[in-house]
Amino acid sequence: MAVGKSAIGLQLAQQLDVPFVDTDAVVVAAHGSIADIFAGRGEHAFREIEARAVAKSVESAKEEPAIISLGGGAVLDSGTQQILGECIVVYLECDAETVADRIARNTGRPLLQGDAMSRWETLFAARRPVYERLADIVLDVRTGSVAEIALLLEERLREHAALKEEVEK
């Protein structure tokens, strides 16, 4: 949450000339704001909607490759974890100090109500092992501009593809 998934993903998609899909935006377009979904229907309902958006996005990417940005909690769903086994998963690694300003500027995150940084650290501690387990590529995003990070990620993706091709020979 707040590590730059959308900005970096969009930049990478532009570099690679492929579509960019932000599953949070897909959910909002179809169901209204995430905050309203949480308030009116609860987190469980949101996670079900989110899981369907991820599944549909990944299925579409089989026809036309795309960069897909998932919400920070999407990977907690076991079905989503299985679906991600078909994808190259990138974990954008960050820390509380780096995201603190972004979180302070964006109060619309339902899971960060109250002491936002304390909540972020708690959520991150719970999610980090899942991120690390699912990741094919781990990229430190604590330094560098969005453009620099996206270029580095493109390079890492090409290395990953080359390595995978070599292993398959």
Side-chain angles (χ1 to χ4, degrees):
M1 199 180 301
V3 300
K5 296 180 302 291
S6 297
I8 295 166
L10 179 59
Q11 177 67 38
L12 179 64
Q14 290 172 345
Q15 287 169 206
L16 299 176
D17 195 28
V18 298
F20 173 70
V21 179
D22 183 323
T23 59
D24 282 348
V26 170
V27 168
V28 168
H31 300 278
S33 82
I34 293 170
D36 288 347
I37 297 168
F38 266 77
R41 298 170 63 188
E43 182 177 1
H44 181 74
F46 170 75
R47 295 296 175 203
E48 288 178 347
I49 293 167
E50 179 181 51
R52 288 193 299 273
V54 171
K56 184 177 178 183
S57 298
V58 170
E59 189 62 32
S60 294
K62 290 177 182 177
E63 300 296 319
E64 180 181 15
I67 303 298
I68 304 171
S69 173
L70 276 59
V75 299
L76 301 177
D77 179 79
S78 61
T80 296
Q81 290 178 25
Q82 288 182 326
I83 289 168
L84 292 178
E86 305 169 17
C87 305
I88 298 171
V89 177
V90 177
Y91 164 34
L92 300 179
E93 186 177 42
C94 206
D95 58 15
E97 183 179 327
T98 304
V99 301
D101 287 340
R102 297 176 200 166
I103 289 171
R105 289 191 306 266
N106 184 347
T107 59
R109 298 175 189 271
L111 290 177
L112 297 183
Q113 299 307 309
D115 182 353
M117 283 312 301
S118 177
R119 293 281 301 137
W120 185 92
E121 289 170 344
T122 300
L123 289 169
F124 179 62
R127 295 172 178 179
R128 183 178 189 172
V130 179
Y131 296 159
E132 290 173 344
R133 179 173 49 82
L134 295 175
D136 296 297
I137 297 170
V138 177
L139 189 66
D140 185 335
V141 297
R142 287 176 267 217
T143 60
S145 67
V146 168
E148 291 167 338
I149 292 168
L151 284 171
L152 179 59
L153 180 51
E154 181 179 354
E155 181 181 313
R156 296 282 305 277
L157 286 166
R158 292 188 193 287
E159 290 169 0
H160 178 78
L163 181 61
K164 185 176 179 181
E165 187 177 299
E166 190 64 33
V167 168
E168 291 175 356
K169 284 183 181 179

